[in-house]
Amino acid sequence: MEFEKMFTTEEQCLAYLQEFRFPSGYTCRKCGHKEYWVNNRGLLICKYCKDELSITAGTIFHRSKLPLTTIFRALWWMVAQKNGVSAVGLQRVLGLGSYRTAWTWLHKFRRLMVFPGRDKLSGNVEVDETLVGGKKSGKRGRGAEGKLLVVIAVEIMEKGTGRVRLSIIPDASKRTLTKFIKENIEEGSTLITDGWKGYVGISEKGYEHVIEDKTKMMDGQEVLPNIHRIASLLKRWLLGTHQNFIGEQYLSYYLDEYTFRHNRRKSHSRGLLFQRLIEQAVIHVPVEYKSIKSM
Ligand SMILES: [Zn+2]
C-alpha cells in the first residue's frame, strides 16, 4: 500500500528517479547552473541556457513505451516475490498487452542485479561445478544434451550458507577455475573442493586448500553438501519459477538473478532492495529489446 501511494503518477516516479540521478540537486550538463523548471512534458529546463533534459534519457528507462508507473510495479513485483516471477506471470499480474514486453523488462532488471565493486567471498568457501539446463539428463561434459557447465562458490557459515557466486564456464580446467576463484574469492580464504585436478595447486595462488576425500566419507555423508544444496535450489528455481524455458544464451542473467536473491534472502526490507535496483537503473545504459533478443 505504501508503494501504491508513493508511485501513483508518472510525476511521482520521475521525481523519485530525479533524486537518484541528481543526489546533490540538479546541475545543468551544459552550463552548470542549478536552477530549472519542469515543462509540461516532464523535461527539466535549465533557467539559463534552456537546455532540455529528460530524467530517463541514458538510463534503462530510456524511450520506454510503458509508463513508469507500470515499470515500477513490475520491478516491485519481481523484488517482492520470494522466488521472483516468470514473464508469463508478470504479464498476467500487470495486465500487460504482450509477453515480449514482460520478458524484455525482466531481462533489463536482471542486468541491474550485479552491483559494481561488490565484495569477494571470504572465509571458508566450497567450490565445485555442476551441469545446468537441458531437457534430458545427459552425459558429463560441456554441451551434453544442451547443458552448460556452471561453477559455484558458497561461503560456509556457522549456521548454514553465506553468499554465493555462480558463473558459466567453458570447461573445468585449472586455468578456468583459477580465474573464477581469483575474481570471486578473497586471497587468504580456505577453499574446500573435491579431488578434481583442476583445483590442484590452488594453494600456490594464496589460498588455503582443503580437499574433501570421497573415500573417507561416512555412509550417506556428502562431499561438499553446501554446493549440492545450492545447485539443487538453483535447478528447482529454474524449473519452478521459469519452467526451464530460459534459453541457454540467457542463463548467465538468470544466474545473476539467483545470486542476487540468495545473497539478499535475509534482507527484511524489500523496499530497500527496490531502491538499490532503481539506483542501478539510473546509471545503467539503456538496453533495447533487440540487443537482448539477438544474443
Ligand atoms: Zn544550462
Side-chain angles (χ1 to χ4, degrees):
M1 278 176 72
E2 202 187 332
F3 181 90
E4 291 296 332
K5 252 185 262 169
M6 279 177 80
F7 304 114
T8 310
T9 64
E10 284 303 283
E11 289 71 30
Q12 283 176 308
C13 297
L14 277 171
Y16 189 73
L17 292 182
Q18 189 177 337
E19 273 178 47
F20 291 111
R21 189 131 186 220
F22 299 107
S24 43
Y26 167 86
T27 307
C28 175
R29 56 189 168 168
K30 295 256 168 72
C31 72
H33 278 94
K34 288 185 160 292
E35 288 177 64
Y36 69 98
W37 76 83
V38 182
N39 78 1
N40 55 10
R41 287 189 294 140
L43 299 175
L44 307 188
I45 316 288
C46 171
K47 273 193 178 175
Y48 292 86
C49 75
K50 310 287 185 282
D51 177 60
E52 293 186 358
L53 179 78
S54 151
I55 296 290
T56 56
T59 74
I60 205 162
F61 308 106
H62 191 50
R63 293 211 181 114
S64 163
K65 289 184 195 99
L66 279 188
L68 286 171
T69 49
T70 306
I71 302 170
F72 275 36
R73 268 158 193 74
L75 180 60
W76 174 248
W77 192 256
M78 192 192 200
V79 170
Q81 300 298 306
K82 187 167 169 273
N83 291 313
V85 60
S86 66
V88 175
L90 185 67
Q91 187 191 357
R92 197 179 305 137
V93 169
L94 295 182
L96 297 174
S98 92
Y99 170 82
R100 188 177 109 165
T101 304
W103 183 92
T104 306
W105 274 101
L106 288 175
H107 267 296
K108 290 187 187 192
F109 296 154
R110 285 183 191 107
R111 282 161 160 75
L112 308 174
M113 291 182 167
V114 179
F115 298 160
R118 59 184 180 173
D119 292 334
K120 294 180 180 180
L121 305 187
S122 59
N124 294 324
V125 184
E126 284 183 10
V127 185
D128 200 7
E129 322 92 63
T130 187
L131 290 165
V132 176
K135 296 215 166 51
K136 291 178 229 157
S137 54
K139 282 169 281 180
R140 198 183 159 81
R142 188 187 184 235
E145 309 286 329
K147 285 176 178 291
L148 295 170
L149 191 58
V150 171
V151 58
I152 303 176
V154 53
E155 291 174 330
I156 306 167
M157 314 306 276
E158 245 173 77
K159 282 184 181 172
T161 58
R163 294 169 300 159
V164 300
R165 285 292 154 77
L166 301 122
S167 184
I168 299 172
I169 46 173
D171 54 58
S173 69
K174 188 169 169 170
R175 193 174 160 201
T176 302
L177 293 170
T178 302
K179 183 168 178 277
F180 170 80
I181 287 167
K182 292 190 85 159
E183 281 171 2
N184 290 284
I185 306 171
E186 286 289 353
E187 275 186 30
S189 302
T190 300
L191 306 179
I192 304 152
T193 71
D194 61 14
W196 173 246
K197 61 184 185 199
Y199 299 106
V200 172
I202 195 69
S203 54
E204 289 152 31
K205 305 284 180 189
Y207 297 92
E208 299 292 320
H209 189 197
V210 175
I211 299 171
E212 294 280 1
D213 188 346
K214 213 172 191 168
T215 58
K216 288 188 186 146
M217 293 283 150
M218 289 190 289
D219 276 352
Q221 208 181 352
E222 263 184 308
V223 192
L224 310 175
N226 296 291
I227 293 279
H228 288 286
R229 204 173 142 262
I230 298 298
S232 73
L233 286 171
L234 169 70
K235 289 168 193 177
R236 211 183 302 162
W237 179 70
L238 291 171
L239 271 169
T241 302
H242 302 291
Q243 281 102 46
N244 241 9
F245 294 152
I246 56 169
E248 266 178 53
Q249 67 273 47
Y250 308 116
L251 180 64
S252 69
Y253 295 109
Y254 287 89
L255 297 183
D256 289 342
E257 182 184 347
Y258 184 84
T259 303
F260 177 84
R261 291 187 181 285
H262 178 92
N263 293 353
R264 289 168 187 79
R265 68 198 185 284
K266 287 174 187 154
S267 158
H268 294 296
S269 173
R270 296 285 120 182
L272 206 58
L273 292 185
F274 176 84
Q275 184 188 313
R276 284 292 284 123
L277 291 172
I278 291 283
E279 271 172 27
Q280 287 276 103
V282 297
I283 57 166
H284 203 287
V285 289
V287 187
E288 301 294 331
Y289 169 75
K290 268 184 257 164
S291 74
I292 300 173
K293 192 67 191 171
S294 65
M295 280 177 59

